[in-house]
Amino acid sequence: MLDQNSWLTIGRIYHVLSIHMEFGGRLKFQLVGDDGLTPAFHDAGQFEVVSCLIPSTWCVSSVPGSHFELTPKAWLESGFWEEYFDGNVKAIALFQCEKEKMLEEEDSQ
């Protein structure tokens, strides 16, 4: 039985950073895996939800015929993820700031 891969460990608690669903597709959770650095989307069916808190920084984005997501508004800016994965210092700082806001809210509950 597999209890770990290069991204995730069974039984570990991960914080959902955003939710994404392609129309007609599967629900996905964005989280930072075991490397502690890289945000990636994973099939929501792989997880048990242990908190019902919805971060106050999340907003709804929907592109008709394409996808639906709940995510921090700052991450919806055009080019944000390209800049983040290209190592842009400002984008990385913005990601960390939004992530920390979510973790602080969760910890205060």
Side-chain angles (χ1 to χ4, degrees), residues 3-104:
D3 64 353
Q4 183 174 351
N5 67 24
S6 61
W7 282 97
L8 306 170
T9 301
I10 292 175
R12 183 171 174 196
I13 294 176
Y14 297 93
H15 295 276
V16 176
L17 304 177
S18 69
I19 296 174
H20 183 91
M21 184 171 168
E22 299 287 329
F23 287 130
R26 297 185 62 92
L27 184 66
K28 294 186 178 187
F29 293 155
Q30 183 184 42
L31 51 94
V32 173
D34 291 346
D35 73 354
L37 302 170
T38 310
F41 285 99
H42 299 272
D43 188 318
Q46 296 175 320
F47 301 92
E48 174 185 351
V49 176
V50 297
S51 171
C52 61
L53 178 71
I54 297 174
S56 65
T57 60
W58 280 9
C59 67
V60 175
S61 173
S62 178
V63 177
S66 177
H67 68 275
F68 166 88
E69 61 188 314
L70 295 168
T71 190
K73 185 176 181 178
W75 298 356
L76 291 170
E77 294 297 320
S78 179
F80 172 77
W81 287 110
E82 290 82 359
E83 291 177 4
Y84 176 85
F85 284 108
D86 284 344
N88 178 285
V89 175
K90 185 176 177 181
I92 292 170
L94 182 56
F95 171 80
Q96 290 296 336
C97 179
E98 293 296 327
K99 178 181 158 192
E100 288 303 315
K101 287 179 192 175
M102 286 184 261
L103 297 178
E104 287 172 9

